[in-house]
């Protein structure tokens, strides 16, 4: 769409339905929110995106690809923290029972009020009704995820209140339940459609629970991510990689999240395809051998400090500058941010609608060192499509503590060295009686601590005599009598360490939808003629073959050309319907097919064909053999 036109999402959705890119599942039974089926075109597009992802990451980076089970046992996800903490905050309309995700609701209502304020100020300044309406419907830069839209009413806000709304929206992802409760009460936020009061936000676990086996005694869940299966296989992967570090594993597969209120098509669904990478790195050396190749990549960053100041201005700089200034924590994290950026541009995401937003402290898990989201701007606002986090050694550590299986790297040292290590002593005499049935869980939580957590534990014990230990959603107080923590010097001949993990995590359905929006436009001479300008590398079909008419003389050429193209790795679609050639060109433009080969009577005489380019509609005439060379070069 041209920059000066309002984005017509309804028209795009009609096109996607018409060409069966995807559709709601179980539709003839009325459908269920959050589930979608991909049609032939959408399936081909998704598979081509996955293929490019594999080429860009798995093949180029020599990653070790896995395919682990979807069903995951309770013990695994309890240890990882998902059972206790994989939740969103929801609130309920107290009269009609409608459920909302609390942060999305707050976002929608405050944005609606700000739009109403802009409309009122435009009208006050003498703008026409049409101009004021246009102001009110302009998409906001701070739009993020999907949410129930608030009603826009043209009411001018006091300057102080307007500024407060803008600051809240700039750091909406930093708020937990108590903060959201305070905002809802303070600004009288109600159900957008009914105007009814809302309940206080409550946590809702997003995992689908199930039972394994006929007795129902073994509890399991549909996995909410693919990462845990990779962590559990770390020891086998390290051995397969001949004990060499660093290395990465990768996986593409289905994941499931029981979303509170799935809306907005593919952007918030309950079943989706993920692609995740777990890059294992030495915690003492997070440099990357490929860093120099990407450090000059210029990207647009939104650091957490900017967000916490209530602003959303982007900072454009190279990856190298971001790492040197400490905005991005380390070289390996910076390397993967650049590689993510290159991948998204390669498949057709627009540079000026892509940014990298840093997580604020309240968003990040306590163990994470740094975390960034690649966000793509769509008609729904800025959408998180890729997360890239430095998860420290948390996952391998907690699984190791729980299973007593050492998930570590052993490095033979050329010379012995003396190092300082945290030493923890549990006083069994006081620990067991004090914590009773929780004693084992509290001990395992302490032993799974990272160096940073041990340092904080020591600081709290020395300053206050007591410290808090989190076990899932519960907190326990330990004292100096229960546990002692101190650093001691140890001589090492073999260095043993738990790797840190850098994790890029891709939501492929969201990326696919963003690509559809970025690729769609209509021809100026005819707004009924839609075009999806996919890059050839991801287009569902690379070429369509169009016989000029139903004349039988064209059939042998159509079959021969189609077979030859497919044998050369060029996916094809033959459109031999009775529609006019112009109509068929337009139809295949809507499918995003970049090239069309027309077979006509001259083809029968001299084996030449016409090649039409989708975006420019330019046509050239040449022999089929030469056209084939062009298509192979432009793939």
């Amino acid at each position: 769409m041209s920059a000066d036109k309002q984005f017509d999402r309804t028209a795009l959705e009609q096109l996607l339905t018409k060409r069966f890119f995807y559709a709601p599942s179980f539709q003839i039974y009325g459908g269920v929110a959050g589930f979608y089926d991909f049609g032939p075109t959408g399936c081909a597009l998704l598979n081509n995106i996955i293929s490019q992802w594999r080429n860009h990451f798995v093949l180029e980076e020599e990653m070790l690809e896995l395919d682990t089970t979807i069903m995951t046992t309770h013990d695994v996800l309890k240890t990882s923290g998902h059972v206790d903490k994989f939740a969103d905050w929801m609130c309920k309309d107290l009269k009609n029972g409608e459920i909302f995700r609390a942060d999305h609701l707050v976002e929608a209502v405050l944005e609606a009020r700000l739009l109403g304020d802009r409309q009122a100020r435009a009208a006050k300044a003498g703008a026409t009704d049409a101009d004021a309406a246009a102001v009110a419907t302009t998409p906001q830069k701070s739009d993020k995820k999907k949410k129930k839209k608030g009603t826009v009413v043209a009411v001018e806000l006091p300057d102080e209140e307007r500024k407060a709304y803008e600051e809240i929206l700039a750091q909406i992802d930093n708020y937990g339940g108590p903060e959201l409760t305070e905002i809802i009460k303070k600004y009288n936020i109600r159900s957008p459609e009914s105007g009814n009061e809302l309940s206080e936000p409550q946590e809702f676990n997003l995992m689908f629970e199930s039972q394994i086996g006929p007795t129902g005694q073994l509890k399991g869940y549909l996995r909410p991510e693919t990462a845990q299966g990779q962590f559990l296989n770390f020891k086998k992967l390290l051995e397969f990689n001949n004990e060499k570090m660093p290395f990465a594993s990768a996986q593409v597969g289905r994941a499931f999240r029981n979303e509170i209120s799935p809306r907005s098509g593919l952007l918030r669904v309950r079943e989706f395809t993920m692609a995740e990478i777990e890059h294992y790195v030495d915690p003492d050396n997070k440099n990357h051998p490929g860093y120099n190749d990407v450090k000059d990549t210029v990207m647009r960053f939104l650091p957490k400090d900017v967000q916490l100041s209530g602003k959303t201005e982007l900072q454009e700089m190279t990856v190298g500058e971001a790492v040197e200034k400490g905005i991005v924590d380390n070289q390996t994290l910076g390397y993967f941010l650049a590689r993510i950026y290159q991948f998204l541009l390669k498949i057709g995401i627009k540079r000026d609608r892509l940014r990298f937003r840093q997580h604020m402290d309240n968003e990040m898990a306590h163990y994470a060192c740094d975390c960034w989201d690649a966000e793509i701007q769509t008609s729904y606002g800025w959408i998180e499509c890729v997360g890239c986090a430095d998860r420290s050694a948390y996952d391998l550590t907690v699984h190791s503590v729980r299973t007593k299986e050492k998930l570590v790297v052993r490095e033979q040292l050329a010379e012995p060295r003396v190092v300082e290590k945290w030493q923890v002593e549990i006083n069994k005499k006081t620990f067991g009686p004090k914590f009773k049935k929780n004693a084992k869980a509290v001990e395992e939580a302490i032993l799974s601590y990272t160096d940073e957590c041990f340092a904080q534990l020591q600081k709290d014990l020395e300053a206050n005599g007591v410290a808090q230990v989190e076990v899932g959603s519960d907190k326990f107080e330990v004292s100096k009598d229960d546990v002692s923590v101190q650093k001691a010097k140890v001589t090492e001949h073999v260095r043993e360490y738990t790797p840190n993990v850098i994790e890029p995590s891709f939501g492929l359905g969201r990326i696919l939808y963003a690509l559809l929006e970025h690729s769609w436009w209509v021809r100026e001479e005819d707004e009924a003629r839609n075009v999806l300008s996919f890059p050839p590398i991801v287009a569902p079909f690379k070429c369509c073959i169009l016989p000029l008419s139903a004349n039988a003389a064209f059939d042998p050429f159509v079959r021969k050309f189609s077979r030859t193209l497919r044998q050369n790795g060029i996916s094809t679609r033959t459109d031999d319907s009775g529609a006019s050639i112009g109509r068929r060109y337009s139809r295949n433009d809507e499918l995003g097919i970049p090239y069309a080969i027309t077979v006509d009577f001259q083809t029968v005489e001299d084996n030449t064909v016409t090649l039409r380019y989708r975006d420019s509609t330019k046509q050239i005439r040449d022999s089929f053999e030469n056209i084939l060379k062009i298509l192979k070069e432009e793939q």
Side-chain angles (χ1 to χ4, degrees):
M1 299 293 289
S2 62
D4 57 347
K5 280 193 175 183
Q6 183 71 23
F7 189 88
D8 190 348
R9 190 193 306 144
T10 302
L12 173 60
E13 290 174 347
Q14 288 172 349
L15 170 62
L16 299 178
T17 300
K18 176 183 173 184
R19 296 303 173 204
F20 195 14
F21 276 83
Y22 58 87
S25 302
F26 329 116
Q27 197 163 22
I28 62 174
Y29 281 89
V32 177
F35 294 99
Y36 286 87
D37 297 330
F38 286 89
T41 317
C43 192
L45 178 61
L46 179 61
N47 285 336
N48 289 340
I49 292 172
I50 292 172
S51 177
Q52 288 304 312
W53 183 87
R54 279 198 171 99
N55 289 338
H56 188 82
F57 291 105
V58 179
L59 295 181
E60 291 186 25
E61 307 281 351
E62 294 187 80
M63 294 178 177
L64 309 179
E65 188 168 5
L66 296 172
D67 185 4
T68 64
T69 179
I70 287 173
M71 182 62 72
T72 308
T73 63
H74 175 272
D75 285 352
V76 170
L77 293 170
K78 177 72 174 177
T79 301
S80 68
H82 286 82
V83 171
D84 297 310
K85 293 187 176 182
F86 194 71
D88 280 335
W89 293 93
M90 70 173 185
C91 55
K92 183 167 67 173
D93 185 312
L94 291 176
K95 290 188 177 179
N96 65 27
E98 187 174 7
I99 300 294
F100 304 94
R101 181 166 153 176
D103 58 336
H104 289 178
L105 175 65
V106 168
E107 202 172 359
V109 171
L110 296 189
E111 284 172 351
R113 291 179 185 177
L114 286 173
L115 292 177
D117 173 74
R118 294 174 66 213
Q119 185 178 19
R121 289 172 186 266
K124 184 178 179 181
T128 65
D129 290 341
D131 291 338
V135 167
T137 55
T138 301
Q140 295 300 291
K141 294 285 185 182
S142 60
D143 280 359
K144 287 183 61 61
K145 308 174 186 73
K146 295 62 52 205
K147 49 256 178 189
K148 193 86 169 181
K149 293 295 181 186
T151 303
V152 178
V153 180
V155 175
E156 186 173 346
L157 299 170
D159 289 343
E160 187 176 329
E161 186 171 347
R162 182 182 62 179
K163 184 180 179 183
Y165 287 176
E166 290 171 347
E167 290 178 352
I168 290 169
L169 290 173
Q171 50 185 313
I172 189 70
D173 291 310
N174 203 33
Y175 297 131
E179 294 88 354
L180 291 169
T181 299
E182 183 181 344
I183 292 168
I184 288 171
K185 289 180 178 178
K186 182 175 181 179
Y187 296 105
N188 192 29
I189 293 175
R190 293 172 172 256
S191 178
E193 294 184 356
S194 69
N196 297 327
E197 288 188 17
L198 298 164
S199 68
E200 288 193 4
Q202 297 179 330
E203 278 194 301
F204 173 75
N205 192 286
L206 299 176
M207 291 193 296
F208 284 101
E209 186 176 332
S210 185
Q211 284 77 41
I212 301 171
T215 65
Q217 293 179 352
L218 182 57
K219 188 188 294 186
Y221 300 89
L222 298 180
R223 66 185 181 195
E225 61 180 26
T226 69
Q228 297 308 314
Q230 298 186 61
F231 297 137
L232 299 184
N233 283 290
F234 169 75
K235 194 171 181 179
K236 297 183 182 72
L237 289 166
L238 181 63
E239 183 180 350
F240 182 87
N241 204 49
N242 300 318
E243 308 292 330
K244 289 193 300 183
M245 286 284 292
F247 73 93
S249 61
Q251 182 168 200
V252 180
R254 292 283 183 164
F256 303 81
R257 298 182 184 180
N258 194 13
E259 292 289 348
I260 294 169
S261 52
R263 296 184 176 96
S264 307
L266 298 181
L267 297 183
R268 187 157 294 275
V269 293
R270 289 173 166 143
E271 178 181 352
F272 51 95
T273 302
M274 297 185 75
E276 290 192 298
I277 296 164
E278 309 302 333
H279 181 86
Y280 304 98
V281 63
D282 185 338
D284 292 342
N285 180 12
K286 292 187 179 179
N287 293 337
H288 193 285
Y291 176 70
N292 287 335
D293 296 333
V294 303
K295 69 178 183 180
D296 295 327
T297 304
V298 178
M299 296 161 52
R300 303 195 304 163
F301 296 93
L302 180 55
K304 62 183 178 183
D305 293 344
V306 175
Q307 299 168 69
L308 289 170
S309 70
K311 299 176 182 177
T312 56
E313 285 82 7
L314 302 181
Q315 297 181 1
E316 190 163 301
M317 68 184 83
T318 66
V319 171
E321 289 176 291
V323 172
E324 287 170 14
K325 293 177 179 178
I327 296 171
V328 173
D329 186 73
N330 57 75
Q331 280 192 15
T332 297
L333 186 59
Y335 174 80
F336 278 105
L337 291 179
R339 292 289 286 160
I340 291 165
Y341 174 80
Q342 292 168 353
F343 168 72
L344 293 174
L345 295 190
K346 181 192 293 185
I347 65 169
I349 299 301
K350 305 296 185 188
R351 183 190 185 278
D352 61 349
R353 297 166 71 184
L354 173 62
R355 73 182 185 188
F356 285 77
R357 186 186 69 83
Q358 189 174 29
H359 280 208
M360 291 169 280
D361 292 341
N362 200 43
E363 288 180 84
M364 282 200 299
H366 65 278
Y367 53 79
C369 299
D370 195 7
C371 185
W372 293 80
D373 287 339
E375 295 184 339
I376 302 174
Q377 192 178 34
T378 71
S379 61
Y380 291 98
W382 288 101
I383 307 301
E384 170 202 338
C385 293
V386 187
C388 191
D390 184 336
R391 298 173 64 95
S392 70
Y394 172 78
D395 300 279
L396 294 178
T397 301
V398 294
H399 287 305
S400 181
V401 169
R402 176 67 178 82
T403 63
K404 310 303 184 216
E405 185 76 41
K406 297 192 86 171
L407 303 177
V408 297
V409 175
R410 293 179 179 86
E411 177 189 337
Q412 186 71 43
L413 298 175
E415 297 287 340
R417 67 173 190 174
V418 177
V419 296
E420 282 193 332
K421 285 194 170 184
W422 287 104
Q423 304 292 315
V424 182
E425 288 188 17
I426 303 293
N427 185 349
K428 301 291 186 181
K429 290 182 180 179
T430 64
F431 214 80
K434 182 173 183 178
F435 298 110
K436 299 183 173 64
K437 65 178 182 180
N438 295 310
K440 184 179 179 183
V442 176
E443 181 178 349
E444 288 181 349
I446 294 172
L447 294 177
S448 69
Y449 273 4
T450 61
D451 287 351
E452 292 79 8
C453 294
F454 281 131
Q456 186 62 48
L457 178 62
Q458 183 192 52
K459 182 179 178 182
D460 291 343
L461 289 173
E462 289 180 354
N464 309 315
V466 296
Q468 296 286 330
V469 176
E470 288 189 21
V471 180
S473 56
D474 298 321
K475 291 184 178 180
F476 298 89
E477 187 175 89
V478 297
S479 70
K480 280 184 169 183
D481 295 332
D482 305 321
V483 60
S484 66
V485 186
Q486 58 185 355
K487 275 193 169 182
K489 291 184 177 180
V490 178
T491 300
E492 288 186 336
H493 296 271
V494 175
R495 180 184 172 223
E496 186 176 279
Y497 65 90
T498 303
N500 282 20
V501 176
I502 309 293
E503 180 190 70
S505 178
F506 298 73
L508 296 178
R510 291 184 173 189
I511 292 172
L512 182 146
Y513 178 77
L515 176 60
L516 288 166
E517 280 206 8
H518 288 205
S519 301
W520 176 59
W521 54 287
V522 295
R523 299 202 185 276
E524 290 184 5
E525 67 275 12
D526 184 355
E527 292 199 354
R529 295 183 64 189
N530 295 277
V531 183
L532 286 167
S533 291
F534 301 125
I537 58 171
V538 295
F541 305 96
K542 303 298 186 291
C543 183
C544 60
I545 299 179
L546 311 176
L548 187 63
S549 67
N551 193 299
F554 301 149
D555 293 347
F557 293 91
V558 170
R559 287 195 297 270
K560 175 187 174 185
F561 295 160
S562 178
R563 182 173 63 251
T564 303
L565 288 167
R566 291 196 302 272
Q567 288 173 343
N568 282 273
I570 301 170
S571 57
T572 64
R573 184 174 189 269
T574 300
D575 188 345
D576 55 3
S577 64
S580 69
I581 194 70
R583 170 80 178 194
R584 283 183 283 161
Y585 279 148
S586 181
R587 184 157 57 203
N588 287 287
D589 288 346
E590 291 181 346
L591 294 171
I593 302 176
Y595 310 107
I597 290 177
T598 305
V599 177
D600 54 23
F601 290 105
Q602 190 175 342
T603 307
V604 178
E605 293 179 9
D606 59 13
N607 204 45
T608 62
V609 293
T610 299
L611 177 69
R612 174 187 181 267
Y613 290 84
R614 174 196 59 208
D615 296 347
S616 66
T617 70
K618 172 188 172 185
Q619 298 188 15
I620 61 173
R621 186 88 190 185
D622 208 334
S623 68
F624 175 74
E625 290 71 22
N626 286 337
I627 295 297
L628 176 61
K629 290 178 183 177
I630 292 172
L631 295 183
K632 289 173 72 174
E633 289 172 359
E634 296 189 8
Q635 279 200 84

